[in-house]
Amino acid sequence: MKPDQLLRPMPAGLYCPAGDFYIDPVRPVARALITHGHSDHARAGHGAVLATRETLDIMGIRYGEDFCGSMQAADFGERIDLNGVTVSFHPAGHVLGSAQIAVEKDGLRIVASGDYKRGADPTCTAYEPVPCDVFITEATFGLPVFHHPEPKAEMGKLLTSLRQFPERSHLVGAYSLGKSQRVIRLLRDCGYDAPIYIHGSLARLCDYYVSRGIDLGDLRPATLEKGDPTDFRGAVIVGPPSAFADRWARRFNEPLIAFASGWMMVRQRAKQGGVELPLVISDHCDWPEVTETIRELAPSEVWVTHGREEALVRWCELAGVPARPLHLVGYEDEGD
Ligand SMILES: [Zn+2]
């Protein structure tokens, strides 16, 4: 069997004709396998959905319990038969519940890694390499210029700023699923044990992380209605970046805007967003991680999805690994 008989790019997403299912489809389909809960990968309105327990729970929190016709939870490593095709889910290290999906038939195995990273992250299960014939990789930061620094060192910048500007409310922009919980956990691991205030849109997902055993410490709602802005003097407030462009943010005491994202390596992006304190913290592989992963797995072929496909395809070719871009559309990761 040729690889593109087992899995092929279609307008709705990666499709397996033999198993009759899609992986992370961008439009409603009869059967969807979902790698993780970010909104560009996990959409509402499918018939049957197969995903990890955490991803299903996260979809329920974001879209309501009736987000699909029927659902099935897959444990990591469990082998599930779909019309003669074997599928299994393996940790991707991206956000809580995130998985790579292995698809196998007649001795051929393709691994669709979804979004993944190799760096340590105490808020989710670490990436596990899965040997395969074809490795499908994202290339969000697929340019040699992208090297993500040590996350704790980035957190150190925030702690330094808190000491330098004890009057100012430090508003940390972080996407609601994954990044915000990781930022909070990182602060705790750096010894910050004061209350952390969260925007209302993060509350349910933070509660869910806590219910899955991820200790986030003392979290309180960042509501100004009752008190006055000086209540938040010198406090850390975490919220989605969109909220910081809003009047909500300006009501805090001398707000200092930080933003935790892999894109903060690009000075221009930080400037445009009015970010005073860029924190380069990413839930995706940087260039060394993605290229080391391909070397480690040594697949006979690499398919590159969303991101900077051409540079990584070229790197693979120079390394002697046949590669092609998939040109899938609709994946603009909300959790970069
Ligand atoms: Zn993602």
Side-chain angles (χ1 to χ4, degrees):
M1 176 176 267
K2 285 186 179 156
D4 54 6
Q5 288 176 296
L6 185 56
L7 218 49
R8 65 176 63 144
M10 301 279 279
L14 272 175
Y15 180 62
C16 175
D20 193 20
F21 60 82
Y22 285 85
I23 295 177
D24 290 353
V26 295
R27 22 180 115 146
V29 300
R31 182 184 287 279
L33 277 56
I34 307 286
T35 59
H36 67 287
H38 280 144
S39 56
D40 51 336
H41 294 261
R43 297 173 194 249
H46 303 306
V49 170
L50 175 61
T52 63
R53 177 77 264 156
E54 289 87 351
T55 295
L56 294 173
D57 289 343
I58 288 165
M59 291 175 80
I61 289 169
R62 306 189 107 182
Y63 304 130
E65 292 307 322
D66 58 350
F67 67 87
C68 66
S70 66
M71 62 183 95
Q72 183 185 347
D75 289 332
F76 284 138
E78 180 189 358
R79 294 170 67 79
I80 296 166
D81 180 273
L82 296 175
N83 306 317
V85 176
T86 303
V87 300
S88 54
F89 287 63
H90 307 270
H94 177 58
V95 296
L96 184 61
S98 65
Q100 313 171 72
I101 298 174
V103 178
E104 296 175 59
K105 190 175 168 63
D106 301 338
L108 176 74
R109 184 192 285 160
I110 302 181
V111 168
S113 55
D115 292 334
Y116 67 105
K117 71 172 177 292
R118 307 295 304 263
D121 178 353
T123 66
C124 63
T125 310
Y127 170 94
E128 275 175 23
V130 182
C132 54
D133 302 291
V134 178
F135 183 58
I136 307 179
T137 180
E138 56 144 331
T140 303
F141 294 106
L143 285 176
V145 68
F146 288 111
H147 288 249
H148 297 146
E150 172 57 38
K152 276 192 180 170
E154 293 299 288
M155 262 316 140
K157 293 180 187 169
L158 177 60
L159 295 172
T160 301
S161 178
L162 284 162
R163 281 191 297 271
Q164 276 177 334
F165 307 106
E167 298 292 299
R168 300 185 69 182
S169 301
H170 284 62
L171 271 55
V172 183
Y175 290 105
S176 58
L177 169 60
K179 189 62 62 65
S180 51
Q181 295 80 18
R182 188 178 179 207
V183 161
I184 293 166
R185 185 62 248 168
L186 272 166
L187 272 168
R188 301 308 188 199
D189 290 339
C190 291
Y192 186 82
D193 53 13
I196 293 174
Y197 297 87
I198 56 170
H199 185 267
S201 64
L202 306 185
R204 289 190 69 201
L205 283 168
C206 285
D207 286 347
Y208 181 66
Y209 268 61
V210 171
S211 79
R212 302 301 291 188
I214 292 141
D215 183 9
L216 300 178
D218 186 355
L219 297 184
R220 299 185 189 178
T223 38
L224 286 166
E225 283 143 40
K226 292 170 207 137
D228 74 88
T230 56
D231 289 352
F232 294 94
R233 224 181 345 217
V236 173
I237 298 131
V238 180
S242 56
F244 293 172
D246 196 85
R247 274 174 51 199
W248 180 81
R250 292 198 290 274
R251 292 185 295 174
F252 290 98
N253 196 59
E254 299 176 57
L256 186 151
I257 306 286
F259 184 22
S261 162
W263 293 113
M264 289 299 100
M265 260 207 72
V266 184
R267 265 167 208 274
Q268 199 58 25
R269 287 234 189 180
K271 253 188 189 171
Q272 279 165 358
V275 177
E276 214 172 317
L277 184 63
L279 303 170
V280 186
I281 299 175
S282 175
D283 286 328
H284 294 269
C285 281
D286 62 6
W287 178 260
E289 284 175 82
V290 72
T291 52
E292 276 156 30
T293 300
I294 292 168
R295 279 210 184 91
E296 179 183 355
L297 294 174
S300 26
E301 213 175 306
V302 170
W303 296 351
V304 185
T305 67
H306 53 296
R308 275 129 201 87
E309 293 153 303
E310 307 304 334
L312 190 57
V313 165
R314 181 86 186 117
W315 179 90
C316 289
E317 283 165 355
L318 290 172
V321 185
R324 67 173 174 118
L326 289 186
H327 301 303
L328 292 174
V329 292
Y331 301 96
E332 285 298 322
D333 206 71
E334 64 154 337
D336 50 26

